[in-house]
Amino acid sequence: MRPGDIVDVSLDWPLVGRDREITRLKDALLAPAGAGALLIGDAGVGKSRLASAALDACEHAGCLVERVVPTPGWQDVPFGAVVNLLPAPASGVADAFRQLTENLRERAAGRTVVIGVDDAQWLDDASVVVLERLLIARAVNLLVVARGDTPGLRSVAALRRAGELERIDVSRLNRSEVAALVTSALGARTDGLTLDLLWRWTLGNPLFLREVLRRGRACGELRCDGEIWRWHRADDPASLRLADLVTMTVEELSEPEREALTYVAYAEPIPLTMLEALVAPAVAERLEERGMLRLHTVATRAMVRLGHPLYGEAVRAGTGPLRARRVMRELAEVAEPVAESPGDRMQVVSWRCHAGLPVDGRQLLAAVEDALRRGGASLARRLAQHLPAPLDTWHTGRAAVAQGRPAEADPLLAAAYELLPEAADRARAAALRALNLFWGLRRPQDSLAVLAQATRQLPAEVHHELLAAEAGIAVFCGRGTEALDAVGAALSQPSTDPLLETAVTPLRPYLLVFGGAPGQAVTEFSTGDLSASEIWPTMRAATQSCHVHALVMCGKLVEATDVAERYYRDAVAHGSSDAVGLLAMMCGVCAGDAGRITEADRWTREALAVTDHHTLFPIRANILAMTAWWAAHLGECDRAAAALAEVATVVPPGSSFGDYTAVSEAWVLAASRHRDAAVTRLWELAERFRTSGLVSSAVEALHLLSRILPSPEVAAELKAVADLSDSPLFRWHADYAEHLAVGDPQQLEVASEQWAVRGYGALAVEAAAFAEAGYRRRCDAAASRLAHRLTQLRGTCVGFWPPWLPPRAPAAAALTRREREVCALAGTGLGNVDIAERLVLSVRTVENHLQRAYDKLGVRTRGDLAAALDALER
């Protein structure tokens, strides 16, 4: 190439300094299905270019490659990102998943399928669900591209967890890479001063660099003198940001070009036929040649997208309200005659609303309801604002409830009650507000007052619409059989509002589980009598949580674990933090009951992290209680006490909710070596729970009591309560209590083996410890056999050794080499993340090594490690 023959950097931008990333991406995308990569980097660092190169490499390797580019304009449209991959309009997630799976399988013909998702921050919720399920089903590999500030975004996090996507960070180029890129783009050497200016102006951002070079060439400041490229006017544009440079690029467009870019910015991805109906083909071609538009063929449909999302941001930022309204009006007018899918029709309704065009009231209301039922509460809320009063207030309030925004929902629902003309609608508004006040805002007295007012003011024929709220309050106010009656009434006369109907769904299995009938709950779930709706993600997760809890309470731990993890992935896909927290907690319950205490603690820490004081109080209180539960199992009593103290700030006054909390308090007392206080507390709880009809809670209290203070009296009481239940697990607990009371080591050894076969690792350890101590007291040779078995069990039940067990025998196994390395670094004060980076391990692996070392060394904290290691050396 001769000097001066500059490459059009908008079209053929070289890929420099990315060999390592390309290799890692290829390895991740060509792995067995269900894997992939998450490409993270700041705007303009070349993520899209790198991703495109990796996808091209996959195509050359024989893969079927599909490219998905979500956009802001379609983020609120269910399946907006993947709509062009669907052979036909999808009626829901299950239908979309089926269509995509069959279509991809047929077209792939045995080849690996790779889907690339650029700008993942703009994915709509429904598309996230479908992509997540494709990963879980191991039907595809996925390349997800996202900005550096969005890896924690729910859509990105959901996809990353579903497929264990390898994170690959795309950094800015260094000085030498910038020099190589500039030389490659310009086709000749560049002087050092110019390279230094380019480095300081762009700081290694490839998009900055591209725009600076393009503008320099256009204005003549960057010229080739002889064989050296130089920047002849070195005014420092350091204050210019990337968006400024892109904005300047947009401002240089002709009016027809800017108009075309504006249509794409508001409709992306836009069918080529639709764009050609709005602008002259030659205009779009010029923009494509400059790299500002890209043409993709999806399925058999040609779609046009922006060359970079920043072009869209620059266009939208520079478009006034009047022009934006005109653009959306013209988009609607062109799209409406050919809109086929529900997503297309909702988008047309949305454009018409924003453009100020008339929209048929029935179509608009149908769009709001359809969006809400599909789980698109954000779109429903935006469309609801265009409904006439007071329907706008009512439907906006409903959408706020579904979004988990109780503070925003309350005044809207209150106004809707006063303004709605129909008595039935007013009753539904009162019921939904009462539930929102109680569950979301923790104001039980106000909630009851709302129901009382509605009962007085509204005719009796609509009072059944209030039953859902009455049931929701009764369940968490300790009214025993009255709560079950209230739930039964709400189920027999269901509300016509889908949110209220969904709110009632988890209440019956909840009462069955705590009332001592988990087996009946399991049966109703298996027969399909109980199912989870998608309209309100938190209530969906609550129903799923009850299913897991019922399985746990029936002793079906392996099945419960599988179901909990599946439901957790579903909650992540739905994007609700409350739902994710609740299902993470249940995954922790399953892991902990299996004896994987550190894993249970990790799950519960996640649950605590994704929820906060805005979370519905039953969920947050349970998570805090389980945090205390597993912390106490690990001997971290201060952390457990802090979690329990926070429960008091969560549970509203007047609510007797707190079954998990009360038993956790007793566990913390016992773990803190206040056995007498724990025993007294557990006796009190057992009596209170039994009197209130909370059979399962009474069993939990007596089960813990039988282990802390084994006695015939406790065993007899536990058996009497267990006989009130349909749970095999509770009968196992009663048998174990009898073995503990008798203290026969042979019976306890058999019990340990039974617990291990059933999958209850912690109880297997506990029974083996009591059996080994009993054999030792008898001077029985079987003690050595039990000591060996106990060592094996402790290897799978790391960190568990409650204070009521006999003193631990010295660990038979020495520290492994890796455990020593981890302990040595931890003893210097390094955190787990730093240790993981130092040793090239995952943080979870570091945690596991530490916990095993703690168990072997008999220590609890990092502060004890140094002394324990010194003693080991001596």
Side-chain angles (χ1 to χ4, degrees):
M1 181 179 296
R2 294 172 301 169
D5 292 341
I6 182 172
V7 174
D8 187 337
V9 294
S10 297
L11 287 174
D12 191 16
W13 190 235
L15 191 63
V16 172
R18 302 302 191 194
D19 292 344
R20 183 174 63 89
E21 289 89 346
I22 287 287
T23 300
R24 290 181 63 190
L25 283 171
K26 287 174 59 179
D27 290 343
L29 296 175
L30 297 177
L38 171 63
L39 202 59
I40 292 291
D42 295 331
V45 296
K47 303 183 299 298
S48 298
R49 178 72 175 84
L50 180 57
S52 179
L55 293 173
D56 289 343
C58 290
E59 284 185 322
H60 290 312
C63 300
L64 172 64
V65 175
E66 293 287 357
R67 290 169 168 84
V68 172
V69 184
T71 60
W74 280 60
Q75 188 178 22
D76 291 331
V77 178
F79 308 112
V82 300
V83 67
N84 294 302
L85 299 181
L86 296 172
S91 60
V93 170
D95 184 41
F97 173 73
R98 178 189 58 77
Q99 288 191 47
L100 268 175
T101 303
E102 294 174 357
N103 184 34
L104 292 173
R105 184 187 299 118
E106 179 179 350
R107 293 170 54 212
R111 295 178 291 161
T112 298
V113 179
V114 178
I115 296 180
V117 181
D118 204 353
D119 298 323
Q121 64 271 16
W122 301 123
L123 276 171
D124 62 280
D125 293 340
S127 294
V128 172
V129 174
V130 173
L131 292 171
E132 185 248 7
R133 291 189 180 179
L134 287 171
L135 278 174
I136 293 171
R138 299 188 180 280
V140 303
N141 282 341
L142 195 63
L143 172 57
V144 178
V145 182
R147 293 198 310 256
D149 59 348
T150 57
L153 196 68
R154 65 186 185 187
S155 57
V156 178
L159 294 174
R160 190 181 184 191
R161 280 191 289 260
E164 297 183 354
L165 306 184
E166 179 185 359
R167 173 168 174 161
I168 299 176
D169 289 280
V170 184
S171 60
R172 294 176 299 187
L173 301 175
N174 58 35
R175 283 179 176 266
S176 61
E177 289 166 343
V178 166
L181 183 54
V182 170
T183 299
S184 179
L186 297 179
R189 291 183 56 190
T190 306
D191 77 284
L193 288 175
T194 299
L195 288 176
D196 183 66
L197 288 175
L198 293 173
W199 166 256
R200 288 192 287 109
W201 289 343
T202 67
L203 294 177
N205 185 299
L207 184 57
F208 258 100
L209 190 60
R210 183 180 68 183
E211 294 300 323
V212 168
L213 291 179
R214 193 194 64 78
R215 283 182 53 77
R217 282 283 294 151
C219 68
E221 294 175 0
L222 180 62
R223 300 193 299 271
C224 185
D225 296 336
E227 297 183 355
I228 303 294
W229 284 95
R230 293 188 59 198
W231 197 284
H232 285 264
R233 184 169 158 266
D235 294 342
D236 188 357
S239 61
L240 291 178
R241 303 179 65 86
L242 182 57
D244 298 323
L245 290 172
V246 175
T247 299
M248 293 177 187
T249 301
V250 171
E251 289 174 348
E252 293 172 355
L253 298 176
S254 67
E255 183 57 31
E257 290 170 338
R258 180 183 175 86
E259 190 82 350
L261 205 64
T262 304
Y263 287 128
V264 180
Y266 279 96
E268 185 183 22
I270 182 172
L272 178 60
T273 54
M274 183 174 167
L275 182 61
E276 289 177 338
L278 292 164
V279 301
V283 174
E285 291 168 5
R286 288 199 299 271
L287 290 171
E288 183 190 21
E289 289 168 358
R290 296 187 61 178
M292 303 186 77
L293 293 181
R294 291 180 292 168
L295 181 65
H296 292 274
T297 302
V298 181
T300 57
R301 197 178 187 189
M303 306 295 291
V304 179
R305 297 184 174 91
L306 296 171
H308 192 280
L310 286 175
Y311 293 134
E313 293 180 14
V315 167
R316 290 187 292 271
T319 302
L322 292 177
R323 183 170 187 169
R325 286 165 63 92
R326 175 181 61 78
V327 166
M328 286 186 280
R329 181 176 69 250
E330 292 171 352
L331 288 169
E333 290 171 348
V334 171
E336 190 166 19
V338 295
E340 298 178 354
S341 70
D344 288 342
R345 289 193 290 271
M346 279 191 288
Q347 182 67 81
V348 168
V349 170
S350 178
W351 282 333
R352 291 186 68 89
C353 288
H354 284 85
L357 294 174
V359 180
D360 181 83
R362 288 174 298 180
Q363 291 181 358
L364 179 56
L365 188 58
V368 172
E369 287 287 350
D370 190 43
L372 191 60
R373 288 180 182 275
R374 290 168 176 261
S378 57
L379 177 60
R381 187 169 183 176
R382 291 175 57 189
L383 294 177
Q385 295 172 6
H386 297 276
L387 288 168
L391 290 178
D392 58 346
T393 302
W394 165 227
H395 289 287
T396 302
R398 295 171 72 224
V401 170
Q403 287 179 302
R405 298 177 178 177
E408 296 177 26
D410 182 62
L412 294 167
L413 297 175
Y417 175 79
E418 297 296 336
L419 299 173
L420 287 169
E422 299 295 331
D425 287 338
R426 295 185 67 200
R428 287 187 278 270
L432 194 56
R433 186 187 178 207
L435 277 178
N436 188 62
L437 282 166
F438 183 61
W439 285 348
L441 299 180
R442 307 181 183 94
R443 291 158 51 186
Q445 296 308 313
D446 291 341
S447 179
L448 293 171
V450 166
L451 291 178
Q453 179 189 42
T455 302
R456 289 193 310 269
Q457 295 179 347
L458 300 177
E461 57 265 24
V462 300
H463 284 182
H464 69 280
E465 294 285 358
L466 305 175
L467 293 176
E470 293 173 355
I473 296 170
V475 166
F476 295 104
C477 283
R479 300 179 188 174
T481 55
E482 182 183 342
L484 191 57
D485 291 341
V487 173
L491 289 171
S492 64
Q493 301 180 71
S495 171
T496 56
D497 184 273
L499 283 169
L500 290 171
E501 184 180 12
T502 300
V504 176
T505 304
L507 299 180
R508 175 173 170 79
Y510 180 90
L511 290 176
L512 288 175
V513 169
F514 281 94
Q520 184 178 346
V522 169
T523 299
E524 292 185 10
F525 274 110
S526 63
T527 58
D529 293 338
L530 294 170
S531 60
S533 169
E534 295 194 16
I535 190 170
W536 190 350
T538 303
M539 292 301 104
R540 177 181 178 84
T543 303
Q544 294 169 333
S545 174
C546 288
H547 188 190
V548 177
H549 203 174
L551 290 168
V552 169
M553 289 295 191
C554 284
K556 299 182 177 183
L557 189 55
V558 174
E559 182 181 355
T561 301
D562 292 340
V563 171
E565 293 178 355
R566 172 162 55 87
Y567 283 159
Y568 168 80
R569 293 190 292 269
D570 178 73
V572 170
H574 279 78
S576 165
S577 59
D578 288 3
V580 170
L582 184 54
L583 271 304
M585 182 195 76
M586 294 311 302
C587 287
V589 169
C590 295
D593 283 359
R596 303 189 301 275
I597 309 298
T598 54
E599 181 183 338
D601 188 54
R602 284 194 295 267
W603 276 115
T604 312
R605 286 176 185 267
E606 176 181 347
L608 199 64
V610 299
T611 57
D612 55 26
H613 66 281
H614 296 295
T615 300
L616 301 188
F617 85 83
I619 296 175
R620 181 66 175 179
N622 276 335
I623 291 171
L624 287 166
M626 294 311 300
T627 298
W629 183 264
W630 299 124
H633 273 67
L634 295 171
E636 300 176 17
C637 296
D638 290 343
R639 181 162 67 92
L644 291 175
E646 189 177 340
V647 173
T649 68
V650 171
V651 178
S655 170
S656 61
F657 178 81
D659 305 330
Y660 280 133
T661 304
V663 181
S664 292
E665 288 171 348
W667 184 286
V668 175
L669 286 171
S672 304
R673 302 188 184 278
H674 299 297
R675 191 180 76 162
D676 292 344
V679 168
T680 300
R681 179 64 170 148
L682 288 169
W683 272 120
E684 293 172 349
L685 291 174
E687 177 62 24
R688 190 186 71 173
F689 291 150
R690 184 174 184 177
T691 302
S692 301
L694 299 174
V695 174
S696 297
S697 297
V699 169
E700 289 278 357
L702 290 167
H703 173 53
L704 180 55
L705 180 58
S706 71
R707 296 153 64 195
I708 296 173
L709 185 66
S711 72
E713 182 183 9
V714 176
E717 182 67 14
L718 178 50
K719 184 178 187 306
V721 178
D723 286 343
L724 301 175
S725 170
D726 64 3
S727 167
L729 175 64
F730 295 171
R731 291 192 289 275
W732 300 341
H733 285 338
D735 293 340
Y736 182 46
E738 290 182 358
H739 297 326
L740 289 171
V742 172
D744 179 77
Q746 290 179 320
Q747 291 182 342
L748 290 168
E749 182 179 0
V750 172
S752 174
E753 293 169 353
Q754 290 175 334
W755 285 126
V757 169
R758 294 163 181 161
Y760 291 83
L763 291 176
V765 166
E766 188 175 281
F770 280 123
E772 192 263 348
Y775 282 130
R776 276 194 286 111
R777 285 193 299 270
R778 293 182 179 182
C779 298
D780 193 319
S784 61
R785 183 183 71 249
L786 261 293
H788 177 69
R789 171 176 168 75
L790 188 55
T791 298
Q792 291 179 319
L793 290 171
R794 286 170 59 187
T796 59
C797 189
V798 177
F800 177 73
W801 196 270
W804 56 80
L805 292 185
R808 274 185 286 186
L815 295 182
T816 66
R817 178 185 61 81
R818 183 63 85 182
E819 287 168 351
R820 284 179 178 272
E821 290 176 338
V822 171
C823 288
L825 293 173
T828 66
L830 283 179
N832 290 353
V833 174
D834 294 327
I835 295 173
E837 292 179 356
R838 183 79 60 89
L839 298 179
V840 195
L841 300 172
S842 71
V843 175
R844 180 166 293 187
T845 299
V846 170
E847 292 172 350
N848 287 335
H849 282 314
L850 274 177
Q851 196 58 62
R852 291 193 181 93
Y854 287 170
D855 193 49
K856 291 178 180 181
L857 296 173
V859 301
R860 288 290 190 188
T861 66
R862 270 175 158 76
D864 300 327
L865 273 178
L869 290 173
D870 288 343
L872 194 64
E873 294 296 333
R874 292 196 297 268

